[in-house]
Amino acid sequence: MHNIAEIPHVRALWNPTGPCLADDREELDNENFARRVRAAATILYAHGVRRGDVVAVMLPNRLELVIILFAAWHLGAAVTPIKPDSTFDEAHYQISDCAAKVVITEGGRGLDALDVADVAGPAVAIGAPVPAVAIEDDATALIIYTSGTTGQPKGVVLDHANIAAMCAMLIETLGLDGSDHSLLILPLFHVNGIVVSVLSPLLAGGRATIAGRFSASTFFDVVERVRPTYFSAVPAIYAMLVAQAAERTPDTSSLRLVVCGAAPMPAELIARFETRFRVPIVEGYGLSEGTCASTVNPPGGPRKPGTVGVPLPGQTVAVMDPDGDLLGAGERGEVVIKGANVMRGYLGRPEATARTIVDGWLHTGDVGYFDQDGYLVLVDRIKDMIIRGGENIYPKEIENVLHAHPSVLEAAVVGAPHDVLGEVPVAHVVAMPGAELIPATLLEHCGVSLARVKLPVAIHLTESLPRNPVGKIDKRKLRAMAAPA
């Protein structure tokens, strides 16, 4: 296929009545999906959308969002998805920053917006169809906004070549084909949800079902009903599923694998999930600036829990020191990435782009090393490192020790300010359901594996940890909560 934008047209020609896309409300075969895309493109064209414009979409997970994505591409326009529960100010910032031509929401939301039912709803009648625009590889396809952990969110510009390359890499690595059926549970305002769970299976000839709001207690009911072959999630979701009542024994036989990304997953949590639900977890690593994924534990094996796997085909992943020299196996440094998946840059921010992409290398801000087998081990985020009295402490090392305790479900460690030492580690811990945890016992557990300088000065027991919109633990909020120690 020449480009991703042609998926609806090609699938409709190839197998008109074959299943394509579904959500909680309706199911579309290939012909009806292509028809809805053409109708939405005609509506967008009537509202002035042309090649090079940006269409902003602020919707919860539903198939109309995917229809609008392809309708915009049909016209040569780009799409920026907005988190559906954004405040007016957050949405207005993103819309203004990318100079969106139109905004599509459900019911307006106080914005000068088109209603989704009038653009991509089932009742929209197609007028004279607008011919598809020929799309160049370097045409912008998506503008994905970072979660803004450092200042204002930045728009990550991904072109059609980025998206096509990423899909091809995922299809090869995960072995996707026409028999695959993805269940989307991650948000569609993030590149993982769009690329891993929608575009890749559709390009491979498979199908996708978009789940509504995630609920751990009803999730496996959805799996039993939909019968997907895989889904992609974040560690928090797997932790919630493991925490379900022990007597729950769902039928997971349709699943050949499940994918984990967004944040490193503790080896103990992987083991708990795989032992209980009898489905292999394929853990990967990547970032929006790299169109989603850069390493993955090979589904065909060997998979090595505690690592994030090996580089995807077509990508070079390396570890670099502060002087720009590449390091050998076992040496720690910043993880850097090269490949056709690396973003074009940050929208309207040439200085930030130049700091992030240097000599073709995408600088991730993550510290890691390659083991003797060529598997990447993530140590931590550079900015999360705690400097205690001049000694560097990586929170992830402490978190891994805490996760090894059988009564710990989740753990997060951040630095708290200290008058003398600068910073000291503080831990926030969520217990397994029904388990009783005592901070002193956990501290004793840590003391077996960690040097004294790395021991948390406080362990706070909590019912849940704060998260950002993608599901990662929000360490900025935890740091803000940390009183001077």
Side-chain angles (χ1 to χ4, degrees), residues 108-288:
R109 291 291 305 274
L111 300 160
D112 182 15
L114 305 175
D115 189 278
V116 62
D118 298 329
V119 178
V124 172
I126 187 166
V130 180
V133 167
I135 294 177
E136 303 299 326
D137 285 348
D138 62 355
T140 303
L142 287 170
I143 304 174
I144 301 290
Y145 277 75
T146 63
S147 51
T149 52
T150 52
Q152 286 278 36
K154 297 188 288 290
V156 174
V157 179
L158 302 175
D159 62 24
H160 281 269
N162 291 146
I163 305 290
M166 188 80 262
C167 288
M169 293 170 186
L170 289 168
I171 289 169
E172 179 180 344
T173 301
L174 300 178
L176 301 182
D177 61 25
S179 68
D180 276 299
H181 182 180
S182 147
L183 178 63
L184 171 80
I185 55 176
L186 292 179
L188 273 172
F189 61 81
H190 191 257
V191 72
N192 185 315
I194 293 171
V195 172
V196 178
S197 297
V198 177
L199 298 183
S200 292
L202 293 188
L203 183 62
R207 57 192 288 209
T209 294
I210 299 170
R213 185 176 293 275
F214 174 80
S215 163
S217 60
T218 62
F219 175 70
F220 282 114
D221 296 333
V222 178
V223 169
E224 291 174 342
R225 174 174 58 82
V226 172
R227 306 288 296 165
T229 59
Y230 77 97
F231 64 82
S232 177
V234 294
I237 286 176
Y238 291 106
M240 286 187 268
L241 294 175
V242 164
Q244 293 299 295
E247 58 269 19
R248 181 80 166 98
T249 54
D251 177 5
T252 59
S253 60
S254 70
L255 292 166
R256 64 179 183 89
L257 58 86
V258 294
V259 180
C260 184
M265 188 164 174
E268 289 75 19
L269 181 55
I270 292 175
R272 286 171 184 164
F273 182 91
E274 292 186 340
T275 301
R276 177 168 175 183
F277 298 114
R278 304 174 303 283
V279 182
I281 290 180
V282 175
E283 191 185 10
Y285 159 74
L287 54 166
S288 299

Side-chain angles (χ1 to χ4, degrees), residues 78 95-96 125 151 228 268 448 462:
I95 292 162
S96 301
E268 289 75 19
V448 175
T462 180

Side-chain angles (χ1 to χ4, degrees), residues 5 20 51 91 104 127 276 282 305 357 361 391 433 444:
C20 181
R51 183 198 294 271
I104 301 166
R276 177 168 175 183
V282 175
I357 303 176
W361 289 106
E391 179 137 0
E444 192 177 318

